Amino acid sequence: MARQLDEQIAGRYPVGQRLRVLDVGMGQGTQALRLARLGHQVTGLEQDATMIAAAREALSGEPEGIRERMRIMEGDGRDTGVHFLPGSFDVVLCHGVLMYVQEPDPVLAGLARVLAPGGLLSLLVRNADALAMRPGLAGDWADALGAFDTTAYRNRLGLDVRADRRETLTATLAGIGAPLHTWYGVRVFTDTAVDRAEVPEDLEPLLAAEERAGRTDPYRSVAALLHLCGVRG
């Protein structure tokens, strides 16, 4: 997904331009810190205290220049109107967040509001059109059959969450003034890998295969996750 994001940023902005980035639901700050290292001014918004502590610890080990480019704030996607003025950011990330939000439309509208004209909105969501793939590949036929007609599922943390359909999000993005520009699949071949699995020796060809599948039909349509990129009009 990082490669996909970098591709979209490179296609929209001159090389070397320092961008204003907002990472909503930044978790432990993996993407936020990566972008700060690339020279961008990054604000991370997170509500989980454990994740905030992990992000602060990771940031504390960075050189001063990177620490100065990254700001960590407590809050979630519903708070953007409280914290930020319209058009405050060139890039807004919302990765792995919408599955925990029962009513995503207001959150998405708030994200679009803080984007500058021409700004990039990057969403990573669970693919509702592929919910049957994981249980089906595992031979769990009852769960596979039950997944065809729902957007609800239980994630690996044991939480009951929700998935999104690309068609629905496409309409939503158009309605909030940040129409879909392009989309990718994420975890086409590797969704069944166990948590905390060791990094395989053939990592580079694995990533190459995933990246190729993530931009190629019909493979990307059955990816576990969808990476959608909207552009603010």
Side-chain angles (χ1 to χ4, degrees):
M1 188 192 66
R3 296 183 183 186
Q4 297 165 356
L5 179 61
D6 289 348
E7 177 181 75
Q8 290 304 308
I9 289 175
R12 301 205 62 78
Y13 299 102
V15 175
Q17 180 175 339
R18 178 175 292 186
L19 302 175
R20 302 164 299 166
V21 179
L22 173 64
D23 188 353
V24 175
M26 68 168 183
Q28 59 188 5
T30 301
Q31 285 297 324
L33 187 53
R34 187 182 73 84
L35 291 169
R37 289 172 181 150
L38 291 175
H40 304 303
Q41 194 74 36
V42 182
T43 298
L45 194 64
E46 175 58 52
Q47 63 177 347
D48 185 273
T50 302
M51 291 295 183
I52 291 175
R56 292 192 187 282
E57 182 177 0
L59 182 61
S60 68
E62 295 292 326
E64 181 179 357
I66 294 175
R67 295 199 305 271
E68 291 176 348
R69 288 198 295 271
M70 185 167 163
R71 175 175 56 156
I72 298 173
M73 299 178 61
E74 183 176 356
D76 63 26
R78 294 166 292 190
D79 299 334
T80 54
V82 175
H83 296 302
F84 311 115
L85 294 173
S88 297
F89 298 97
D90 304 300
V91 178
V92 173
L93 314 181
C94 184
H95 296 165
V97 173
L98 291 187
M99 55 273 290
Y100 299 102
V101 179
Q102 289 303 313
E103 297 293 337
D105 288 8
V107 174
L108 291 171
L111 301 183
R113 173 183 172 275
V114 299
L115 265 179
L120 177 68
L121 175 59
S122 174
L123 305 176
L124 186 70
V125 302
R126 188 73 164 90
N127 182 8
D129 292 323
L131 285 180
M133 290 296 293
R134 185 186 296 171
L137 291 172
D140 186 343
W141 309 120
D143 278 0
L145 287 168
F148 281 103
D149 301 312
T150 183
T151 59
Y153 71 103
R154 179 162 291 180
N155 67 12
R156 287 175 172 173
L157 300 176
L159 301 175
D160 292 322
V161 288
R162 49 172 294 281
D164 287 284
R165 300 192 188 281
R166 178 169 56 87
E167 182 179 5
T168 302
L169 281 178
T170 299
T172 299
L173 291 173
I176 61 175
L180 183 66
H181 172 66
T182 193
W183 66 281
Y184 306 88
V186 176
R187 290 200 338 226
V188 178
F189 302 127
T190 57
D191 186 51
T192 56
V194 298
D195 292 338
R196 303 185 183 280
E198 292 186 6
V199 177
E201 294 183 1
D202 57 348
L203 179 61
E204 282 306 316
L206 182 156
L207 292 175
E210 279 284 351
E211 186 176 11
R212 177 74 178 270
R215 63 179 69 241
T216 305
D217 292 321
Y219 304 101
R220 61 178 180 167
S221 297
V222 296
L225 304 170
L226 297 178
H227 181 196
L228 297 92
C229 299
V231 175
R232 180 70 168 164

